[in-house]
Amino acid sequence: MADVRLSHVDKHYGEAQALFDISLDIKDGEFVVFVGPSGCGKSTLLRSIAGLEGISSGTIMIGADDVTHTAPSDRGVAMVFQSYALYPHMSVRENMEFGMKINGVGRKDRAARVAEAARVLQLEPYLNRKPAHLSGGQRQRVAIGRAIVKEPKVFLFDEPLSNLDAKLRIQMRVELEALHAKLGATMIYVTHDQVEAMTMADTIVVLNQGRIEQVGAPMELYHRPRTRFVADFIGAPAMNFLKIRTEGGAVRYGAGTVGGPAAAPEGAVTLGIRPEHIELTAPGGGAFDARVEVKEALGGESYLYATAPEGERIVVKTAGDDPTHHGDVVGLKLPAGRIHLFGADGTNLSLA
Ligand code: ADP
């Protein structure tokens, strides 16, 4: 196990730059998730740590070693891919043993490591099966097993659950969290799915166009997003955004004033509020009224899709048994402590 330190990492693909000045400290035993939309550079960053991509400048340290120019096989990392990359003609046991054989690990040691990984991953009944005779979840567990037996300093996961159906994805997510707790290993995990990031990470790194947008614990990013980009990306359904004006410290929206912070920061142009933080009231009783266009009742909770006075779509989370119907006009209360105000450049101006 080891910490990982990136200093001023740049990566160019010819003319195009994929990573810009990435500096990041990952602690020993930490579960870190790189998250961001497609093309933001998260796979490039992970592959750079693995050594599968050379970087253009900067340094990468794993533990005490500068691995910037070290071959992937000598970095002490093990990577798990979305595609599993299992050998189809080998059994589960052989798939797990293969890398160790190449690296000259003795027979007894190999058997012990496979037995332990199979136990941890509940693969014992399948050790003699070929991958074709396993479910998607089992195949992904074999791919993880193959990483475990390498006894790496750092585990690297590249969207490992993307090929699984929704139910299995949730199950494997919980298994991975349990595995991290059991192994206490440093794990770096790439996903475009903010729910995976929120649920699994000790620390989330949000990437945007090759740059780090914000680093923090999941709830820190949820409550204190430094930019509109992070506010929009973290949380589901996404935060609502309304175009506002400020006048003498008051937040003006539509024809009225929205109760915001005591003094609205100069230069705020967008108000953000999460669907779960809006309160329903009778018409006229809130900051403004909105007409409900669609109601989605999910059982335990409902989502109202309404049209705000200046035409924006606004989503409100309510109770599962909320009686509001589509077509109803409701008042929406925006509690001052839940409001985020963003400047024209996307900076969250309401953070102290
Ligand atoms: P993500 O994993 O966040 O979807 P990537 O790291 O795959 O993003 O890609 C980041 C950027 O680098 C993208 O603009 C992508 O087009 C570019 N890129 C990735 N791999 C290559 C490559 N081999 N050659 C050229 N450009 C690449």
Side-chain angles (χ1 to χ4, degrees):
M1 284 185 282
D3 54 2
V4 177
R5 268 168 302 150
L6 309 179
S7 306
H8 305 294
V9 170
D10 284 331
K11 168 71 183 173
H12 297 264
Y13 288 111
E15 295 280 279
Q17 191 164 352
L19 298 174
F20 295 81
D21 196 29
I22 303 284
S23 292
L24 186 64
D25 280 357
I26 296 171
K27 290 198 274 298
D28 187 13
E30 201 171 11
F31 196 132
V32 173
V33 176
F34 296 164
V35 73
S38 180
C40 70
K42 49 196 188 300
S43 298
T44 300
L45 188 56
L46 193 76
R47 292 168 62 81
S48 300
I49 296 170
L52 301 173
E53 300 282 356
I55 57 175
S56 309
S57 58
T59 56
I60 300 176
M61 303 278 299
I62 296 180
D65 303 322
D66 183 336
V67 299
T68 312
H69 303 291
T70 304
S73 54
D74 297 331
R75 292 192 182 199
V77 302
M79 190 143 162
V80 177
F81 298 92
Q82 180 179 349
S83 60
Y84 316 144
L86 301 179
Y87 298 108
H89 59 289
M90 292 185 192
S91 67
V92 168
R93 181 193 307 281
E94 288 163 341
N95 262 288
M96 287 206 257
E97 278 198 312
F98 185 69
M100 292 191 281
K101 265 190 192 165
I102 301 275
N103 289 328
V105 178
R107 179 187 291 271
K108 252 179 95 175
D109 203 3
R110 289 201 310 261
R113 290 194 203 178
V114 169
E116 175 59 11
R119 189 186 64 76
V120 168
L121 296 166
Q122 294 167 358
L123 284 171
E124 283 153 324
Y126 312 108
L127 281 171
N128 295 319
R129 282 205 202 165
K130 300 267 165 63
H133 302 290
L134 298 174
S135 70
Q138 289 163 341
R139 282 180 214 170
Q140 191 51 282
R141 284 213 291 273
V142 178
I144 295 167
R146 207 171 38 182
I148 291 177
V149 296
K150 284 175 82 176
E151 300 183 341
K153 294 182 197 156
V154 182
F155 286 83
L156 306 175
F157 295 96
D158 194 0
E159 306 236 12
L161 307 186
S162 299
N163 285 349
L164 305 176
D165 67 46
K167 199 169 163 192
L168 199 52
R169 216 156 50 219
I170 295 170
Q171 194 183 324
M172 284 299 294
R173 202 166 82 199
V174 174
E175 283 186 26
L176 272 174
E177 289 169 64
L179 185 70
H180 178 247
K182 215 176 300 187
L183 301 178
T186 311
M187 294 186 172
I188 308 178
Y189 188 105
V190 160
T191 181
H192 61 274
D193 180 349
Q194 66 88 29
V195 176
E196 282 183 12
M198 286 299 283
T199 51
M200 295 203 280
D202 296 317
T203 301
I204 297 178
V205 178
V206 181
L207 291 165
N208 179 14
Q209 297 188 1
R211 291 184 166 83
I212 292 182
E213 188 84 13
Q214 189 169 357
V215 179
M219 291 314 273
E220 166 84 6
L221 299 196
Y222 175 84
H223 286 297
R224 300 174 59 80
R226 276 211 294 266
T227 62
R228 178 177 165 159
F229 182 88
V230 174
D232 192 20
F233 198 78
I234 298 290
M239 186 182 277
N240 295 294
F241 297 102
L242 302 173
K243 253 182 84 181
I244 49 109
R245 312 175 300 286
T246 54
E247 265 171 38
V251 179
R252 308 274 299 166
Y253 175 71
T257 299
V258 177
E266 200 69 14
V269 297
T270 307
L271 177 153
I273 185 155
R274 297 195 183 278
E276 55 274 36
H277 293 153
I278 298 176
E279 294 169 17
L280 286 183
T281 66
F288 52 82
D289 291 349
R291 175 179 293 276
V292 176
E293 310 295 347
V294 172
K295 177 183 183 181
E296 279 182 350
L298 303 184
E301 68 225 39
S302 298
Y303 294 99
L304 307 179
Y305 295 82
T307 306
E310 297 204 11
E312 295 103 330
R313 162 63 53 82
I314 189 158
V315 184
V316 183
K317 182 181 180 188
T318 64
D321 55 2
D322 185 274
T324 310
H325 286 294
H326 68 87
D328 288 354
V329 173
V330 292
L332 301 183
K333 231 186 207 169
L334 316 183
R338 299 296 199 178
I339 285 176
H340 299 267
L341 295 173
F342 301 95
D345 66 353
T347 306
N348 189 344
L349 301 171
S350 41
L351 296 180

